[in-house]
Amino acid sequence: MKYWKKLLSFILIITLSSLIFSLSFAFSFYKFEGKEFINKYFFAAVKEVISSSKKGWAVIVVLKDEERSQKIKEYLGKKGTNISNLSQIKKKKEGLFFLYSGDDRLIFVFDNLSDEGFFTFKSVHTKRVGLVLDSEFMDILEGKFNNDAKILVAKDFLQYLWKFFWALNYQLMYLNKYLIVLFTVIIIFSILEATIYFGDFKIDAGNGIRMYILKLLPTTVIVSYLFIIYSPIIVQYINHIFIFLLLFFATSLILSYFSLEKTQAGVALSGILSILIQAIFYDNYLQIISTAGYHPSFANRFYGIGNEFFAYLLGFAFVFSIVTKIPLKNLYIILGILAVFLSIPYYGINFGGLVSMLLGFISFSVINLRNKKKMIFLLLPAAILIVFAIFKNSYLFNVFSNTEVLVDTIKRKLLMNLSYFVLYPLTILLVSYFVILSILALTKNEILVLRPLEKEKIKLFIIITMFAWLLNDSGTIIVGLLLGFLNLNIYIAKMVKEYGNN
């Protein structure tokens, strides 16, 4: 058996190591240009033009369709001024101004020749004020827009739009290199975790040092996920990789001094609350300016909980349940609350995540017949609220009320998932490892032995993850993110069993 454990450890290390390159490719698929976003005076100069204007309107345009985008570029080229450097801003103080993002997928448009004070436009598709799609912007240019879409605002809001556009470009310029480092840390420390619980690796040191190292591994992984969520804000203030890593590892080293239960539970709870609070009170700001969320440059959604943040929510919830050893019924309640939140229009509204959790609950209750009645009792109030939310939301109602639309939606998501295997072949290893680790966690074997309660929780986690992979167009990314959490859950379960909550 020792031979097979060592062999599995070796395969695991090779698999996880390959993901470093896969993630690096995945987060470097665009080209960023635009030196104006490096010039510290450029932001202030444009802001000054907006603040000195006595009237005008502004929008950020998301370029999605190639043909429409070309028409918009031609129109702006003829009618407006491309403020791509300071000299152009200083030469002309009035007129139609525009600036492309560093990846040419967004445009900031400002016009101070209007006779109607300050205003902007609210998008039907993005559900956001001042952030419109290219199709809607063409209607604005041609005067075909709905009058209800025109929103009177204060001058400060136009300045906010410019600041928002600047932040979006700032993230495109700098954030990915920090995210790649964080994901690499997750992979490396996951390899170390797996080496310990698969290979029976022994740390030859004093009891205190050994326990500290054993706690440092899971602490570093879960802190990495928390830093991924907050990285868009941190990078705006600490744009230096050394200082960023110093802050990150200092946080991890300090938290590792505390008990495993308190540290993991505290960080997991902080992660859950961070996502929910930023969604409700800050209009999902942490997601929309993050390339690990749903940045407008390459997102097809602009509101609600995105698939990446859904994965973080799910992962944090299960880590919290494992380390606190709460009974299954309490985990059902936590997941039920999250499912209800995912059904709330605008703030939550994640169709794939919602259905994944519901199908996961149902499948798990069928597998565990002894919990079936309790499961149905706990799911009933949540199901009523979710059905109500579906009827209140046009997108979900259209999907569920039309069989053809439902089938097309599922088909599109499946094809998108399969495309990742072609675009990034190393993701085949990622999904394969998730399947192998799931089989070991769910079956009776001597390679991976878990206590019954932890095993049941991990079983539910795996079932929901598999549905999330099948029902979301970025399901492969969800599996990749949750793989780190699955590895973390197993490691914590093994550590709690063998060492307790030291």
Side-chain angles (χ1 to χ4, degrees), residues 54 83 90 117 132 145 216 347 355 370 376 448-449 461 493:
K54 297 181 180 179
I83 48 172
K90 293 175 181 178
V132 302
F145 62 88
L216 178 64
Y347 298 105
V355 177
R370 54 191 171 83
I376 293 173
L448 186 59
V449 181
F461 176 83

Side-chain angles (χ1 to χ4, degrees), residues 265-315:
V267 176
L269 191 59
S270 298
I272 294 171
L273 293 177
S274 296
I275 293 173
L276 298 182
I277 290 172
Q278 66 90 35
I280 297 171
F281 298 104
Y282 297 96
D283 202 13
N284 274 309
Y285 182 74
L286 286 176
Q287 287 189 99
I288 203 166
I289 66 169
S290 176
T291 50
Y294 49 72
H295 195 284
S297 275
F298 40 84
N300 288 319
R301 62 179 296 156
F302 305 91
Y303 57 95
I305 297 296
N307 290 335
E308 291 80 3
F309 272 51
F310 159 69
Y312 305 141
L313 269 180
L314 191 62

Side-chain angles (χ1 to χ4, degrees), residues 381-394:
I384 293 172
L385 287 172
I386 289 168
V387 169
F388 176 77
I390 287 172
F391 277 92
K392 282 290 183 180
N393 182 270
S394 58

Side-chain angles (χ1 to χ4, degrees), residues 41-330:
Y41 300 108
F42 184 82
F43 171 78
V46 176
K47 185 179 178 182
E48 176 60 30
V49 172
I50 296 173
S51 64
S52 63
S53 299
K54 297 181 180 179
K55 54 192 175 182
W57 59 272
V59 290
I60 297 172
V61 186
V62 182
L63 301 177
K64 294 174 67 69
D65 181 84
E66 188 175 339
E67 186 177 341
R68 279 197 298 263
S69 298
Q70 187 57 38
K71 289 181 179 179
I72 290 172
K73 290 178 179 180
E74 289 174 0
Y75 177 88
L76 292 176
K78 292 177 181 178
K79 303 287 185 179
T81 301
N82 188 349
I83 48 172
S84 57
N85 58 61
L86 281 170
S87 61
Q88 289 171 314
I89 298 172
K90 293 175 181 178
K91 283 179 185 177
K92 194 174 181 182
K93 297 291 184 179
E94 291 186 346
L96 176 68
F97 302 94
F98 66 93
L99 178 66
Y100 294 104
S101 61
D103 62 349
D104 279 339
R105 300 187 188 187
L106 303 173
I107 315 177
F108 175 78
V109 181
F110 171 64
D111 185 355
N112 60 7
L113 293 178
S114 169
D115 295 326
E116 304 178 51
F118 296 101
F119 61 94
T120 187
F121 298 88
K122 183 175 181 179
S123 169
V124 175
H125 300 286
T126 69
K127 309 293 183 185
R128 292 180 175 273
V129 177
L131 184 65
V132 302
L133 299 186
D134 46 14
S135 56
E136 296 171 306
F137 188 64
M138 285 298 298
D139 290 339
I140 292 172
L141 296 178
E142 297 170 0
K144 298 178 182 177
F145 62 88
N146 191 328
N147 287 329
D148 294 336
K150 191 174 180 179
I151 308 292
L152 294 176
V153 296
K155 185 193 298 184
D156 291 346
F157 184 81
L158 301 190
Q159 294 175 338
Y160 162 77
L161 276 183
W162 168 241
K163 183 179 179 181
F164 183 56
F165 182 76
W166 184 268
L168 292 175
N169 279 277
Y170 197 84
Q171 303 307 337
L172 285 172
M173 281 198 322
Y174 298 114
L175 187 58
N176 279 0
K177 67 180 180 182
Y178 293 89
L179 292 174
I180 290 172
V181 170
L182 290 173
F183 281 118
T184 302
V185 167
I186 290 173
I187 292 168
I188 292 173
F189 277 75
S190 294
I191 291 171
L192 295 174
E193 288 175 344
T195 302
I196 289 174
Y197 71 68
F198 265 139
D200 290 334
F201 181 77
K202 303 299 182 184
I203 299 175
D204 188 16
N207 187 58
I209 296 175
R210 183 173 69 252
M211 286 306 306
Y212 181 79
I213 294 173
L214 288 172
K215 289 187 293 184
L216 178 64
L217 299 181
T219 300
T220 303
V221 171
I222 198 166
V223 168
S224 297
Y225 280 110
L226 195 63
F227 264 66
I228 287 170
I229 293 173
Y230 280 104
S231 57
I233 293 178
I234 297 173
V235 170
Q236 289 184 42
Y237 295 96
I238 305 176
N239 187 18
H240 194 291
I241 192 69
F242 176 78
I243 299 175
F244 180 86
L245 289 175
L246 186 65
L247 175 64
F248 167 72
F249 281 111
T251 304
S252 179
L253 289 168
I254 292 170
L255 290 178
S256 297
Y257 275 104
F258 302 100
S259 73
L260 176 71
E261 181 180 289
K262 290 179 180 178
T263 301
Q264 295 290 319
V267 176
L269 191 59
S270 298
I272 294 171
L273 293 177
S274 296
I275 293 173
L276 298 182
I277 290 172
Q278 66 90 35
I280 297 171
F281 298 104
Y282 297 96
D283 202 13
N284 274 309
Y285 182 74
L286 286 176
Q287 287 189 99
I288 203 166
I289 66 169
S290 176
T291 50
Y294 49 72
H295 195 284
S297 275
F298 40 84
N300 288 319
R301 62 179 296 156
F302 305 91
Y303 57 95
I305 297 296
N307 290 335
E308 291 80 3
F309 272 51
F310 159 69
Y312 305 141
L313 269 180
L314 191 62
F316 283 130
F318 275 92
V319 169
F320 181 83
S321 73
I322 292 287
V323 77
T324 57
K325 295 177 285 189
I326 60 174
L328 271 174
K329 64 179 181 180
N330 290 358

